[in-house]
Amino acid sequence: MDSTKDLIIVGGGPAGYSAALYAARASLDVLVVEHGMAGGQIATSDIIDNYPGLGSCSGAELGQKMQEHAEHAGAQSTYGSVSSIDRKDDMFIVNTDMEQLEAPALIVATGATPRLGGFVGEDEFRGRGVSYCATCDGMFYRGKHVFIIGGGNSAVEEAMYLSNIAEHVELVVRRDVFRAPRGMVERLLTRDNITIRYQTSIIEVSGSTFINRIVLRDNATGETHAEMFDEGSVGIFVAVGHDPATQIVAPYVDLGSDGGVVTDESMATKTPGLFCAGDMRSKSLRQVITAAADGAIAAMSAYAYLEESGRI
Ligand code: NAP
């Protein structure tokens, strides 16, 4: 494969593959670099049911369809983890763990990464009772007791998913309100095996091979107490939000107060030829549909940039 392209897209989620589709349909020679499954974050979503016209579909399936659609239009994909981006003579040099690629225009759509819960023992028991993905690890908790930390969309979706697997699901919400919309919370309350602990935080976990002790704090009174479990019978799923993944573009962009990349409406950053799209941007609504829209706009802006600068 030629390592010089018209356009390189870093990230194969909804933003990246929507950009690839639009770029390929505009006859650009475009390559998507992705280090995991197509779909990015949605690949770990059990169900996507808010993408218009789609009905209900698994995130992994939607990610795969987006990739196939872009490739059918002429986009190429390559596996690689991008470590850095250099700028040389108006070209972007994209350094991956596999190869060096270059293009005069770049769209970065690296999404967002899960935040940590911040409790004692979290790192030590990661994969041994502490998880960040219900669709990935839920099966290990069939018939068991699980706690989910968080009160946003992700936490509610994880609770719904795990309620079909675990015997008992407890949602641990640090304030007295959810961040997730009311309709979603109401659906949650219809499940018999889900309970909610408001104004509560998990502050410590311990055990030997697996967790057997969880310390909880009542955030209204500050009181703490420990609960004991048989080892291996309990799990904690952390779903407390995501941080925009901006590391590789940091030298070339400005960041907003939410940690996302600041772009204008055309998805342009302060560096000519560099566009950002999807959840890594500073924005108010992070959804599949807004990521896909960002991707389409970024592709058309990259096309205009290449044309105006005489590169195509
Ligand atoms: P989020 O909306 O930012 O919610 C994070 C939740 O975790 C909040 O309830 C927050 O509490 C809580 N939290 C944060 N740090 C915590 C900590 N250290 N300990 C305990 N609780 C903590 O995050 P998200 O649910 O991952 O969603 C991220 C974005 O993706 C959002 O824009 C969301 O709308 C979108 N999303 C949408 C869907 C969908 O539409 N189906 C699905 C998933 C995600 P506070 O409220 O007190 O801050």
Side-chain angles (χ1 to χ4, degrees), residues 47-205:
I47 290 178
I48 305 290
D49 59 6
N50 55 2
Y51 197 83
L54 189 69
S56 206
C57 171
S58 85
E61 192 185 345
L62 180 59
Q64 199 182 337
K65 280 186 173 168
M66 285 182 171
Q67 177 178 12
E68 284 165 9
H69 196 167
E71 290 179 354
H72 184 72
Q76 289 179 292
S77 304
T78 188
Y79 175 83
S81 183
V82 175
S83 52
S84 62
I85 293 165
D86 297 321
R87 193 107 167 87
K88 194 176 165 206
D89 301 332
D90 282 348
M91 292 292 277
F92 292 98
I93 315 294
V94 177
N95 303 301
T96 83
D97 51 347
M98 315 290 278
E99 60 198 323
Q100 197 174 60
L101 304 161
E102 58 178 66
L106 185 62
I107 296 175
V108 178
T110 41
T113 49
R115 264 184 223 140
L116 300 180
F119 50 88
V120 175
E122 180 173 12
D123 198 34
E124 187 186 345
F125 286 93
R126 182 189 289 239
R128 297 190 291 129
V130 176
S131 170
Y132 299 83
C133 172
T135 27
C136 316
D137 301 331
M139 63 182 179
F140 299 122
Y141 297 92
R142 190 165 298 283
K144 297 181 181 175
H145 190 134
V146 298
F147 289 86
I148 297 161
I149 304 175
N153 280 319
S154 303
V156 171
E157 285 185 355
E158 302 244 308
M160 295 293 281
Y161 178 76
L162 286 167
S163 74
N164 293 322
I165 299 172
E167 187 187 333
H168 187 189
V169 175
E170 294 205 67
L171 208 52
V172 181
V173 183
R174 70 178 174 183
R175 292 187 294 150
D176 57 356
V177 286
F178 276 85
R179 190 178 284 258
R182 191 186 302 172
M184 281 185 78
V185 178
E186 280 165 5
R187 272 173 59 210
L188 194 75
L189 297 173
T190 63
R191 299 282 171 102
D192 289 342
N193 64 342
I194 300 180
T195 50
I196 300 167
R197 298 202 198 198
Y198 286 104
Q199 297 197 82
T200 304
S201 293
I202 289 179
I203 58 167
E204 184 181 343
V205 299

Side-chain angles (χ1 to χ4, degrees), residues 167-280:
E167 187 187 333
H168 187 189
V169 175
E170 294 205 67
L171 208 52
V172 181
V173 183
R174 70 178 174 183
R175 292 187 294 150
D176 57 356
V177 286
F178 276 85
R179 190 178 284 258
R182 191 186 302 172
M184 281 185 78
V185 178
E186 280 165 5
R187 272 173 59 210
L188 194 75
L189 297 173
T190 63
R191 299 282 171 102
D192 289 342
N193 64 342
I194 300 180
T195 50
I196 300 167
R197 298 202 198 198
Y198 286 104
Q199 297 197 82
T200 304
S201 293
I202 289 179
I203 58 167
E204 184 181 343
V205 299
S206 53
S208 52
T209 309
F210 295 100
I211 293 171
N212 65 10
R213 181 173 174 271
I214 298 176
V215 182
L216 298 115
R217 182 183 62 217
D218 179 329
N219 292 330
T221 63
E223 281 171 19
T224 64
H225 76 279
E227 295 183 14
M228 301 300 296
F229 299 86
D230 291 337
E231 237 186 76
S233 71
V234 67
I236 294 173
F237 287 81
V238 182
V240 298
H242 293 79
D243 290 319
T246 58
Q247 202 183 340
I248 58 168
V249 289
Y252 307 107
V253 300
D254 289 326
L255 298 182
S257 56
D258 61 357
V261 172
V262 175
T263 70
D264 64 14
E265 277 191 18
S266 74
M267 307 298 141
T269 66
K270 69 177 184 184
T271 300
L274 173 64
F275 304 85
C276 288
D279 282 8
M280 70 173 312

